[in-house]
Amino acid sequence: MYNAERDMEALRPWQRRLHAIIFEAETPLGRMFDILLLAGILLSMLAIMLESVQSLQQEYGLFFRVVEWIFTILFTIEYVLRLLCVARPLRYATSFFGIVDLVSIIPTYISLYVT
């Protein structure tokens, strides 16, 4: 049977601290992390929407690609940090939120191989 407290005890102190920041919105740093993450998601979506406008894409295409990669790298770091601060990384990776996180970054990496 799953025991969350036992899992938390298995984590190193730095992992527990990181877990509190990333997964617990009740702490000041957790709230700040969530706000920054939501702002990043919204800005990323805005960049994607603006890039879909042909005239903007023609003029600022390179800028949009750079912005897309910056956000992809930041979201990749966030995903890796989430995996590092849980006792069962595979359980997180195969959870709904883990899959959503992975699916959000995969297309940009696939674009390296498929044009």
Side-chain angles (χ1 to χ4, degrees):
M1 187 164 162
Y2 176 68
N3 185 330
E5 288 181 29
R6 186 177 47 207
D7 278 355
M8 287 302 289
E9 290 172 5
L11 296 176
R12 295 183 176 108
W14 68 268
Q15 289 173 302
R16 276 189 234 123
R17 175 133 171 86
L18 189 59
H19 186 277
I21 293 169
I22 293 175
F23 287 101
E24 298 175 19
E26 298 81 29
T27 65
L29 285 176
R31 250 187 310 282
M32 183 186 308
F33 179 83
D34 285 349
I35 290 168
L36 290 174
L37 183 59
L38 287 172
I41 291 168
L42 291 174
L43 289 172
S44 174
M45 289 172 45
L46 178 63
I48 290 168
M49 290 184 333
L50 291 174
E51 185 181 22
S52 71
V53 177
Q54 187 65 30
S55 60
L56 293 175
Q57 201 281 331
Q58 287 176 348
E59 187 153 345
Y60 302 105
L62 178 60
F63 171 77
F64 288 129
R65 280 191 296 278
V66 169
V67 167
E68 179 182 2
W69 274 105
I70 289 170
F71 281 116
T72 298
I73 290 166
L74 290 174
F75 293 145
T76 301
I77 292 168
E78 180 242 348
Y79 181 69
V80 169
L81 289 175
R82 285 182 184 273
L83 293 174
L84 288 174
C85 72
V86 293
R88 299 177 185 195
L90 185 58
R91 185 176 183 164
Y92 175 76
T94 57
S95 72
F96 173 78
F97 292 109
I99 292 170
V100 168
D101 285 346
L102 186 60
V103 167
S104 72
I105 59 177
I106 289 294
T108 307
Y109 291 113
I110 290 174
S111 73
L112 289 173
Y113 302 103
V114 178
T115 55

